[in-house]
Amino acid sequence: MFLHFFLYGCNIVMWRKSRINYSFIFELAPTKELKYRDVFLICTTAMTAVVGVMFIHLSLLTKRYSYSQVQAIPGLLFLSFLLLLVCPFNICYRSSRFSFLCVIRNIVLSPLYKVVMLDFFMADQLCSQVSMLRNLENVACYYLTGSYKTQDYGYCMRSKHYRDLAYAVSFIPYYWRAMQCARRWFDEGQIDHLVNLGKYVSAMLAAGAKVAYERDKSAGMMWLVVVISSAATIYQLYWDFVMDWGLLQMNSKNPWLRNELVLRRKFIYYFSMGLNLILRLAWLQTVLHSNFEHVDHRVTELFIASLEVIRRGQWNFYRLENEHLNNAGKYRAVKTVPLPFHEVDEED
């Protein structure tokens, strides 16, 4: 999560240098929006707190303190972050925290609210945090069931209710995004929103197939994951390049790009397209089981999840670049209307 937030700070730096008016696009109040320095400060402070608590946790374990009490420390840290997020006092960027909570409310209740740019942009970020959401589910189960007292990490994995909930957690961000597309189609009547909805339905099917494969690692289930995930990946790549980034225009003066580019060096766009393709294929690790020799599978999952967050950080820049250019094009399309001419008699 903090890597994602750090990359958002990098996005702000790049948008400002490229003169992309992200504040106008997101409809952010200039006096209340987070600047890149604020974002980096939050990341640094949060990670310092995490590393400090890890050090205290390990130190107490080596000194043979009560295991159940020591294991409660990470849970208390997590609870502290949640309490700070909803803290009503005017500390730690209260306006930004409350704006964030309002956006999350709009996402969860997507069909009931008119969808604006910031809402579906944030929902897309959640689609790249499925791994984190599943880890949060595991952490909640670990502490709420008291498993931390006995160090029974497998209790939640053995529970049928937990496994069923894993399905919902795996595709609920895609469901929220699909509902936003449905609402935008209802409000605007553009068929593109229904096509976009289909992309998120394919992502839901791919996520469900991966969770099912974790239970049943048969050859048939593996091929089902490969077929569904491949179809979803092609769908997503087309939408990334053509619709979200506005690239792959056949008649463009810049081959395979678009006529107007914010960045001067064209090779950056080609490199980003190739990198996006590679990172979109990170799901192959699910079926290849390449655990990098003796590295724990949870470390491998963390690495794959980080790659998806990096892909999303790159996607964010080009998505707003395309939105910025589209807005500029609309303003240029406005023609000057001549004023009516009124003849005045010479006698007047």
Side-chain angles (χ1 to χ4, degrees):
M1 182 179 67
F2 294 125
L3 171 63
H4 204 147
F5 205 48
F6 171 78
L7 290 175
Y8 175 68
C10 296
N11 286 146
I12 294 177
V13 173
M14 292 301 299
W15 289 331
R16 289 174 63 88
K17 286 188 175 182
S18 304
R19 297 184 179 181
I20 295 175
N21 195 352
Y22 67 95
S23 299
F24 173 77
I25 295 174
F26 287 146
E27 301 179 15
L28 300 174
T31 57
K32 295 183 179 180
E33 66 170 294
L34 289 177
K35 304 299 190 291
Y36 68 90
R37 293 185 181 89
D38 300 319
V39 175
F40 291 149
L41 176 61
I42 294 172
C43 291
T44 304
T45 304
M47 286 308 301
T48 301
V50 170
V51 173
V53 170
M54 287 177 60
F55 177 78
I56 295 173
H57 182 226
L58 294 175
S59 298
L60 294 178
L61 282 178
T62 56
K63 295 179 180 179
R64 301 185 180 277
Y65 277 79
S66 173
Y67 191 84
S68 60
Q69 295 177 355
V70 174
Q71 282 296 87
I73 294 176
L76 293 175
L77 175 65
F78 178 64
L79 183 62
S80 300
F81 282 138
L82 290 181
L83 292 177
L84 180 60
L85 179 63
V86 299
C87 178
F89 301 111
N90 191 16
I91 58 173
C92 298
Y93 308 100
R94 184 180 65 174
S95 60
S96 298
R97 290 188 285 108
F98 281 16
S99 297
F100 172 77
L101 293 175
C102 288
V103 172
I104 295 299
R105 178 205 60 192
N106 295 347
I107 293 173
V108 175
L109 304 176
S110 295
L112 305 180
Y113 289 91
K114 183 178 180 180
V115 182
V116 297
M117 177 71 184
L118 184 58
D119 292 342
F120 67 77
F121 183 85
M122 181 61 70
D124 278 325
Q125 310 307 305
L126 292 178
C127 290
S128 293
Q129 288 288 2
V130 172
S131 178
M132 184 199 71
L133 294 176
R134 290 193 62 183
N135 285 332
L136 290 180
E137 176 200 10
N138 192 19
V139 169
C141 177
Y142 182 68
Y143 283 101
L144 292 177
T145 59
S147 300
Y148 71 96
K149 297 179 181 179
T150 59
Q151 199 182 359
D152 187 3
Y153 296 108
Y155 174 80
C156 294
M157 301 300 295
R158 295 191 301 268
S159 172
K160 181 180 183 301
H161 297 294
Y162 174 85
R163 294 197 303 268
D164 293 338
L165 186 60
Y167 277 107
V169 174
S170 296
F171 62 72
I172 198 169
Y174 304 113
Y175 168 79
W176 288 333
R177 192 64 185 88
M179 290 299 98
Q180 288 181 332
C181 294
R183 177 59 191 258
R184 294 190 70 190
W185 171 78
F186 179 80
D187 291 337
E188 303 172 17
Q190 297 181 6
I191 197 66
D192 286 348
H193 297 312
L194 288 181
V195 181
N196 198 16
L197 186 151
K199 182 189 73 173
Y200 292 103
V201 171
S202 69
M204 290 168 59
L205 294 175
K210 292 172 188 175
V211 176
Y213 180 65
E214 291 177 3
R215 296 186 185 181
D216 178 15
K217 295 187 180 296
S218 62
M221 186 59 68
M222 182 190 71
W223 282 110
L224 180 64
V225 171
V226 171
V227 171
I228 295 178
S229 298
S230 298
T233 299
I234 294 173
Y235 204 155
Q236 292 162 356
L237 284 172
Y238 169 80
W239 203 268
D240 285 345
F241 295 148
V242 178
M243 305 303 294
D244 288 338
W245 294 3
L247 304 178
L248 296 182
Q249 296 183 7
M250 303 303 296
N251 298 323
S252 171
K253 62 182 180 181
N254 302 308
W256 300 102
L257 302 178
R258 67 170 96 87
N259 288 331
E260 297 186 22
L261 303 174
V262 170
L263 303 179
R264 295 181 179 180
R265 295 181 174 85
K266 299 178 184 178
F267 80 89
I268 297 178
Y269 291 92
Y270 297 118
F271 174 80
S272 298
M273 291 169 67
L275 183 61
N276 188 68
L277 169 63
I278 294 172
L279 296 180
R280 277 287 190 187
L281 296 175
W283 59 266
L284 285 172
Q285 195 275 337
T286 305
V287 295
L288 295 178
H289 302 294
S290 53
N291 287 329
F292 308 104
E293 296 182 356
H294 301 293
V295 178
D296 189 277
H297 70 93
R298 288 168 293 189
V299 177
T300 305
E301 292 173 2
L302 175 63
F303 175 72
I304 299 300
S306 300
L307 291 180
E308 170 58 22
V309 170
I310 293 172
R311 188 199 68 80
R312 180 62 64 180
Q314 172 189 254
W315 179 92
N316 289 343
F317 174 81
Y318 295 108
R319 178 65 183 89
L320 252 68
E321 179 201 30
N322 188 39
E323 188 72 17
H324 172 79
L325 293 175
N326 289 339
N327 290 341
K330 290 178 183 178
Y331 286 120
R332 284 196 297 268
V334 178
K335 297 181 180 180
T336 303
V337 180
L339 297 174
F341 178 76
H342 175 67
E343 288 189 8
V344 181
D345 294 337
E346 293 181 0
E347 296 179 357
D348 294 340

